[in-house]
Amino acid sequence: MSQEHIKELVDRYISLSFSVAKKGENLVKCQIGDDLTNDQHYTLRYIHQVSECTSTELAEVFEVKKSAITAIINRLWEKGLIQRTRDQKDRRVVYLTLTDKGNILFRKTENRIHKLVESLINKFEQEEIEKFLKTYEKLNQVLTESKDYKMEE
Amino acid sequence: MSQEHIKELVDRYISLSFSVAKKGENLVKCQIGDDLTNDQHYTLRYIHQVSECTSTELAEVFEVKKSAITAIINRLWEKGLIQRTRDQKDRRVVYLTLTDKGNILFRKTENRIHKLVESLINKFEQEEIEKFLKTYEKLNQVLTESKDYKMEE
DNA sequence: GTTAATAGTTAAACAGTTGAATTATTAAAT
DNA sequence: ATTTAATAATTCAACTGTTTAACTATTAAC
């Protein structure tokens, strides 16, 4: 592939990924309302998915430091959406779960987002979506493998 | 499409977009180094692309409020990477351009990012990339049109 | 039984964001 | 032509999310 062609693909990809992420975030924020930020909703989403998890697990999944997780969890905890439970065997560990209030709020917002995406997804052929996600998954894999990429010179 | 299938696609897409964005950001940050944040580099990138622009234009492109742009521009200006020039006809307008220092730094970091992406892009067939970007562009278009999506109930 | 490692928190500092108020300038109204 | 509107940009206070470094509490290793 020529240098010029690569540059064009890169430029297209960078612009797109930025634009799509931004627009997606904004649309999601409209559905979420003022109760939660996007990151907070995403955190609830993960905990809901796995039922129960720890700060360390969240930090690994979100690829941030543990103190960043503490801050987010504190805000969700202050809103009464999350419960902290100490492990009785290993008392260093704190398990995070959704409270009833957290569950209700998550389901409500998730339902709104689901309807939004449903209204968007109809504009695509099913096969187009499948292929897109397949390449996206491959990209994710490649990025994971390149985690420790360093420049030579 | 069945409800269950939609939910699965949505879940896959949300997880992927989050993960890819995060990993991409981290890789880019490694190339940029400590001189710039990703947002700062992206701002330099846009100004470099269009040669000259205003705060209002940046706010529209990045879909944030103008005061957020002022903050970013201030930091770049303090580093001597950006120049502010008042329009002589309409003295409310301030044109933003890269300084020589800004140009040199941008080119250096952009070159490193370019080499990174080049090393990743080889893992894909050209046709796969084209199709992926095409769907991505369509998604971007659909999101743009849905900007004012509101729930019915 | 002392030393290491681990899980989580705290505090200071910073980037990015919003919203409301402000300044300076230009456009519109009548 | 003078007042009123709108526009471009900035400032300030408040907030979220982030990192780094120091710290507490607990468990594992030797």
Side-chain angles (χ1 to χ4, degrees), chain A residues 22 54 56 67 70 84 92 94:
Chain A
K22 206 84 192 179
T54 64
T56 303
S67 52
T70 301
R84 285 171 155 124
R92 292 170 301 182
V94 175

Side-chain angles (χ1 to χ4, degrees), chain B residues 2-43:
Chain B
S2 75
Q3 288 285 319
E4 266 315 301
H5 194 186
I6 290 179
K7 183 160 163 31
E8 187 225 311
L9 292 180
V10 173
D11 283 346
R12 268 170 80 195
Y13 174 73
I14 293 185
S15 295
L16 273 172
S17 67
F18 193 87
S19 181
V20 167
K22 205 84 191 174
K23 292 197 174 83
E25 274 172 26
N26 284 340
L27 273 169
V28 167
K29 194 182 287 174
C30 288
Q31 303 312 308
I32 289 178
D34 294 331
D35 295 332
L36 295 171
T37 66
N38 285 8
D39 282 331
Q40 286 167 3
H41 176 256
Y42 198 77
T43 306

Side-chain angles (χ1 to χ4, degrees), chain A:
Chain A
M1 224 180 296
S2 75
Q3 287 286 317
E4 267 315 301
H5 195 186
I6 291 179
K7 181 161 166 28
E8 186 226 310
L9 292 180
V10 173
D11 282 346
R12 270 171 79 195
Y13 174 73
I14 292 184
S15 295
L16 274 172
S17 68
F18 193 87
S19 181
V20 167
K22 206 84 192 179
K23 292 196 174 84
E25 274 173 26
N26 284 340
L27 272 169
V28 168
K29 193 181 289 175
C30 288
Q31 304 313 307
I32 290 178
D34 295 331
D35 295 333
L36 295 172
T37 66
N38 284 6
D39 281 332
Q40 286 167 3
H41 175 255
Y42 197 78
T43 306
L44 292 186
R45 181 172 228 275
Y46 182 83
I47 299 176
H48 178 264
Q49 210 168 38
V50 298
S51 300
E52 182 178 85
C53 71
T54 64
S55 288
T56 303
E57 183 180 343
L58 279 173
E60 278 162 10
V61 173
F62 292 179
E63 296 182 45
V64 295
K65 298 283 177 275
K66 280 191 290 188
S67 52
I69 299 298
T70 301
I72 290 181
I73 296 299
N74 276 339
R75 291 181 198 111
L76 290 170
W77 184 82
E78 280 159 17
K79 292 178 183 171
L81 304 173
I82 276 191
Q83 223 168 0
R84 285 171 155 124
T85 320
R86 282 224 112 85
D87 185 331
Q88 288 309 311
K89 287 183 187 168
D90 184 344
R91 295 186 46 74
R92 292 170 301 182
V93 178
V94 175
Y95 293 117
L96 304 171
T97 51
L98 300 193
T99 60
D100 289 346
K101 191 178 167 192
N103 244 305
I104 289 167
L105 181 58
F106 172 72
R107 281 183 210 278
K108 198 185 87 188
T109 52
E110 188 68 358
N111 190 36
R112 291 167 68 88
I113 292 170
H114 191 266
K115 280 182 184 161
L116 163 67
V117 179
E118 202 175 329
S119 79
L120 302 179
I121 215 169
N122 289 328
K123 320 238 170 157
F124 297 85
E125 291 298 322
Q126 189 158 346
E127 199 193 324
E128 189 178 3
I129 298 173
E130 296 287 0
K131 278 190 179 162
F132 177 79
L133 286 180
K134 226 171 149 186
T135 302
Y136 214 7
E137 265 153 5
K138 192 169 155 189
L139 174 59
N140 191 42
Q141 188 57 36
V142 167
L143 287 177
T144 305
E145 288 162 2
S146 307
K147 212 172 196 169
D148 306 311
Y149 175 86
K150 288 272 164 26
M151 299 303 293
E152 305 80 20
E153 62 260 62

Side-chain angles (χ1 to χ4, degrees), chain B residues 31-32 36 41 105-113:
Chain B
Q31 303 312 308
I32 289 178
L36 295 171
H41 176 256
L105 181 57
F106 172 72
R107 281 183 209 277
K108 198 184 89 188
T109 53
E110 188 68 358
N111 191 36
R112 290 166 69 89
I113 292 170

